[in-house]
Amino acid sequence: MGRRTRMASSRACGYLDPVKDIDRINELLSLRSYQHLLSFSTLSDWLPRCTDSALRYSILARWGLALQHCPQPDKEDRRRVRLAVSSEGRALEFAAEKFKDDEGVVWAAVGNDGRAFRLASERLRDNYALAMRAIERADGEVLQHASQRLRSDVSVALAATFSTGKATAYIASELRADPEFLVSALKLNLSSRRPVMTSDIVANAAPELLANADFAEEVLREFGLALQYFSPALRADESLARAAVASRPHALRFVSTELTKNRSLVLDAIERGAPLIHAHESLRVDCGFVLDAIEQNAYAFVHASPELRVDETFKREALTRNGMVLLNLNTQDRLKPSLQRIALANAPHVLLELGRWSSMIALRACAVTTPCVLAYTRQEDRSDPELVMNAVASDGRALAA
């Protein structure tokens, strides 16, 4: 809706007639934006004075939050309140107090919006079925409004933490101190298609558990990133660090400073996909170690020390170890035929990423020793006679690619 249209509508809203302008009213209601309706002062101005009961009923069916502007008799009418909360669960806030203790009305409200559970009476916030429905319709954080009995209920707590790990903050303290429950909750959350706030399950565990090696081992086997919440002593334990890295390679960032100097641990993490940046500075300036890391993961070149990255001898050795390093060089180096030749000799498939930036000089030279490079070249490059002849001379089957 354009600015002029909004201004014209705003001027007209003060003169809307509940009967004559019913089409205009329905148009505004169809926008499904309560704040938009209020900006026109439509409902708040004339709905309290509207004497047409059928019209008010129609409006409640379209937009339940209009209940706050209806006359008190509508807020006392069970049928109208249920209609309103079925459309907008939050409308329960504006209903008469008696309906906040009406199971049928609250059930309808929670069915529309699980967050309406907080508006229910204390008695209904102790209702197991309502709590489970609220968790299903919203998320586990609605558990904060449930009774202490339900927050201590294992099935309710598991449903809440399955929805979001943040719900662990609201479960009973005895469950937060129960290692068996927390490990079960962690596994259940991770089993969902889209795990949400999994780390919070461990972050909200009882302090004594975060210093327990047995609990840490069980957790880290499932979710290595939880290492960040355990005590410094456990983060310095090599066996726990290895368990964490095996589960989530990026957990390397949370091990103790001393363990980031451990060559075998860091290499294991890098091989699994962790970036070299999480290794100690002393390893990142070590030419031999960085080359070993690059052999496992070409991206390690990016986080080598600045001195190594500009060293020509180092770059050539890195390309010899892992041709895919070519993609991590700066543009100027990436286009050098001499460096491309080294990369192609060790990783011909780098051409799939290099595309039109590949050097014909490098391709021709590489085809002599690595004829399979022809399989990765672009269609237009295969029309080069010298390239094809070099590949065929080395391996007569090269054309089959």
Side-chain angles (χ1 to χ4, degrees):
M1 184 182 291
R3 182 182 175 189
R4 291 185 178 180
T5 306
R6 288 198 302 270
M7 291 176 64
S9 301
S10 181
R11 288 194 296 269
C13 280
Y15 305 98
L16 287 176
D17 184 274
V19 177
K20 295 179 181 178
D21 298 320
I22 185 62
D23 290 338
R24 177 63 179 145
I25 292 168
N26 283 331
E27 180 187 347
L28 292 175
L29 290 170
S30 68
L31 296 174
R32 301 296 294 168
S33 171
Y34 188 60
Q35 292 301 322
H36 186 78
L37 290 172
L38 284 183
S39 70
F40 288 110
S41 303
T42 305
L43 297 179
S44 57
D45 281 353
W46 61 259
L47 192 55
R49 303 190 300 272
C50 179
T51 57
D52 189 331
S53 178
L55 177 59
R56 296 199 307 271
Y57 187 89
S58 174
I59 290 173
L60 287 174
R62 298 286 294 277
W63 190 253
L65 285 174
L67 184 65
Q68 67 174 301
H69 301 300
C70 288
Q72 191 60 31
D74 286 353
K75 299 177 182 179
E76 299 280 350
D77 187 312
R78 188 178 189 277
R79 184 182 172 208
R80 289 175 182 254
V81 168
R82 183 156 186 168
L83 179 71
V85 299
S86 296
S87 171
E88 285 291 338
R90 292 173 296 161
L92 184 61
E93 180 179 354
F94 309 109
E97 285 298 316
K98 63 182 180 180
F99 294 122
K100 296 175 182 178
D101 194 48
D102 185 310
E103 189 168 339
V105 171
V106 174
W107 183 267
V110 168
N112 175 268
D113 186 345
R115 294 170 298 178
F117 183 71
R118 68 180 178 82
L119 302 168
S121 66
E122 185 177 348
R123 180 181 72 87
L124 290 182
R125 282 187 279 116
D126 187 47
N127 184 296
Y128 176 88
L130 270 175
M132 294 294 274
R133 185 172 173 83
I135 291 169
E136 178 188 350
R137 295 293 182 175
D139 61 41
E141 288 193 78
V142 300
L143 191 62
Q144 63 185 295
H145 305 295
S147 66
Q148 184 61 35
R149 181 182 71 85
L150 291 181
R151 284 188 279 157
S152 301
D153 186 288
V154 172
S155 59
V156 173
L158 282 175
T161 52
F162 174 76
S163 169
T164 172
K166 292 179 74 173
T168 315
Y170 308 114
I171 64 177
S173 55
E174 58 266 25
L175 289 181
R176 294 203 302 273
D178 183 341
E180 186 178 344
F181 168 80
L182 291 176
V183 171
S184 298
L186 186 74
K187 290 179 179 179
L188 193 61
N189 185 283
L190 289 170
S191 70
S192 68
R193 290 187 177 181
R194 295 180 62 189
V196 179
M197 299 296 183
T198 307
S199 292
D200 283 30
I201 294 176
V202 181
N204 291 297
E208 59 270 21
L209 284 182
L210 298 180
N212 185 305
D214 294 333
F215 174 67
E217 185 176 2
E218 279 196 80
V219 168
L220 296 175
R221 279 203 303 261
E222 301 294 332
F223 189 65
L225 293 179
L227 182 64
Q228 61 186 298
Y229 300 111
F230 287 97
S231 66
L234 295 184
R235 290 167 61 190
D237 185 298
E238 185 176 346
S239 62
L240 292 179
R242 289 187 180 278
V245 164
S247 168
R248 296 291 192 279
H250 283 66
L252 181 65
R253 65 186 294 192
F254 302 120
V255 304
S256 67
T257 303
E258 195 60 34
L259 284 181
T260 61
K261 302 176 185 178
N262 186 309
R263 300 173 74 95
S264 63
L265 173 64
V266 175
L267 277 177
D268 182 34
I270 289 172
E271 182 180 4
R272 296 172 185 273
L276 181 63
I277 196 171
H278 299 319
H280 193 267
E281 182 64 28
S282 62
L283 294 183
R284 292 165 58 197
V285 300
D286 184 320
C287 181
F289 175 81
V290 175
L291 287 173
D292 289 341
I294 285 173
E295 194 169 349
Q296 303 296 336
N297 187 335
Y299 192 67
F301 179 87
V302 175
H303 296 122
S305 67
E307 294 78 16
L308 287 178
R309 292 203 305 272
V310 298
D311 185 282
E312 290 297 322
T313 304
F314 175 77
K315 283 187 280 192
R316 289 174 179 276
E317 182 60 29
L319 288 167
T320 303
R321 297 283 191 101
N322 191 334
M324 296 301 289
V325 167
L326 184 67
L327 301 176
N328 297 313
L329 300 180
N330 60 46
T331 305
Q332 184 179 354
D333 286 340
R334 200 182 309 162
L335 297 178
K336 288 181 179 178
S338 59
L339 295 183
Q340 286 192 15
R341 182 177 176 179
I342 298 172
L344 292 173
N346 294 284
H349 55 282
V350 76
L351 280 172
L352 298 175
E353 299 290 339
L354 202 57
R356 65 189 182 90
W357 300 110
S358 56
S359 163
M360 184 56 69
I361 297 174
L363 288 175
R364 290 168 180 169
C366 188
V368 175
T369 55
T370 315
C372 67
V373 75
L374 198 61
Y376 300 101
T377 56
R378 297 178 303 154
Q379 192 63 41
E380 51 266 40
D381 289 337
R382 295 184 192 182
S383 61
D384 182 80
E386 187 177 343
L387 171 63
V388 175
M389 288 182 65
N390 286 351
V392 172
S394 179
D395 186 346
R397 297 171 298 174
L399 282 177

